[in-house]
Amino acid sequence: YIQYEQFRSLMNGSNDYNNLVDSAKVNLEEYVKRNRRQETLYYASGDSLTYRSQTLRLAWAYTFGDSINYARSLELAQELYMQDGQDADAMNLISYVYTQQRKYDLAEKWAKKILDTHKDDGLAYLRLAYLASKQNRTSEAIRYYEKCLEIDSEDKEGLNNLAGIYWDLETGRGGGRWGYPVYGMRRYAVSLWRKAARLGDPYAQRI
């Protein structure tokens, strides 16, 4: 069987990207099906890492490539959540799938559910910030991005996205309660982009 790490290394040197994606999905599906009967024993014994990680990888695999299957991805992620109601990775994936489907209320619900048991999960704050931004709740998005950066001051996505909001505020494109320019915000945006660039972020380095 092609393991996920092998698939990634093969993919990097191959022009046949989508075939490799589909091949990895097939092999991971077989792995998950083969071990499903032992699922209860895995969790009861504490030896759930392999089954869980492969199931999670398969669930993520269904979110990209030509054969995207969000329903299957959601099914697998919810299966993991049923096994462990505090599985932040499973909840994050569920939130991501709903985000891709533009079911923003459900996406927010699952991102906030992560914070019920993982108060300092920066990724959950990042997701909530993105969702608030997509719905033009600019002030809320800023608070979530700031919380994300409070947890991890070197989160490049948080730095870039917050910089983008600050930049747009000065041009009057910020949305939310601001329908007019908020002067002086660009310098804050530039400082965040410079920090992201120093951390090696290629997007920020091009700005």
Side-chain angles (χ1 to χ4, degrees):
Y1 293 96
I2 299 175
Q3 296 301 311
Y4 192 76
E5 290 80 2
Q6 293 173 303
F7 148 66
R8 295 296 302 183
S9 62
L10 283 170
M11 186 185 71
N12 291 335
S14 170
N15 294 323
D16 200 2
Y17 173 86
N18 290 310
N19 285 343
L20 281 171
V21 170
D22 293 339
S23 174
K25 288 176 184 174
V26 168
N27 285 289
L28 284 170
E29 276 280 16
E30 290 181 5
Y31 177 90
V32 170
K33 288 176 182 177
R34 197 168 62 244
N35 287 282
R36 193 175 303 279
R37 291 180 182 176
Q38 300 180 43
E39 181 179 332
T40 304
L41 292 175
Y42 272 122
Y43 280 93
S45 67
D47 185 24
S48 61
L49 179 61
T50 302
Y51 177 81
R52 176 189 171 279
S53 64
Q54 295 290 58
T55 303
L56 191 63
R57 286 167 178 170
L58 175 60
W60 274 111
Y62 276 116
T63 66
F64 64 91
D66 275 356
S67 54
I68 287 176
N69 187 338
Y70 288 132
R72 180 62 176 142
S73 178
L74 201 57
E75 178 187 353
L76 291 165
Q78 288 174 334
E79 175 188 317
L80 291 176
Y81 175 73
M82 292 299 293
Q83 292 291 340
D84 180 0
Q86 297 186 20
D87 191 329
D89 292 328
M91 288 186 278
N92 173 56
L93 179 52
I94 293 170
S95 179
Y96 173 81
V97 170
Y98 283 135
T99 300
Q100 295 303 107
Q101 295 177 324
R102 299 184 181 181
K103 297 177 180 179
Y104 297 141
D105 288 346
L106 287 170
E108 283 190 56
K109 171 189 170 182
W110 282 94
K112 288 178 179 178
K113 192 182 286 286
I114 296 172
L115 298 175
D116 289 342
T117 51
H118 304 271
K119 300 293 185 185
D120 293 326
D121 192 301
L123 189 58
Y125 285 108
L126 200 62
R127 175 92 57 224
L128 288 167
Y130 174 81
L131 290 165
S133 182
K134 289 290 287 184
Q135 298 172 85
N136 292 322
R137 304 198 314 258
T138 307
S139 57
E140 190 176 342
I142 290 173
R143 287 196 297 271
Y144 281 134
Y145 279 128
E146 287 177 343
K147 182 62 178 179
C148 169
L149 293 171
E150 181 183 317
I151 294 168
D152 180 3
S153 63
E154 297 186 349
D155 188 295
K156 294 188 282 293
E157 186 174 351
L159 290 167
N160 273 320
N161 292 352
L162 183 56
I165 289 178
Y166 284 163
W167 186 271
D168 285 347
L169 283 174
E170 186 153 343
T171 64
R173 297 194 306 248
R177 73 180 67 175
W178 297 281
Y180 50 84
V182 181
Y183 295 108
M185 300 305 293
R186 285 187 179 183
R187 62 191 178 95
Y188 293 110
V190 169
S191 68
L192 292 172
W193 274 323
R194 283 177 175 167
K195 182 173 182 178
R198 287 196 300 271
L199 292 169
D201 183 80
Y203 173 78
Q205 288 172 346
R206 292 195 301 270
I207 295 176

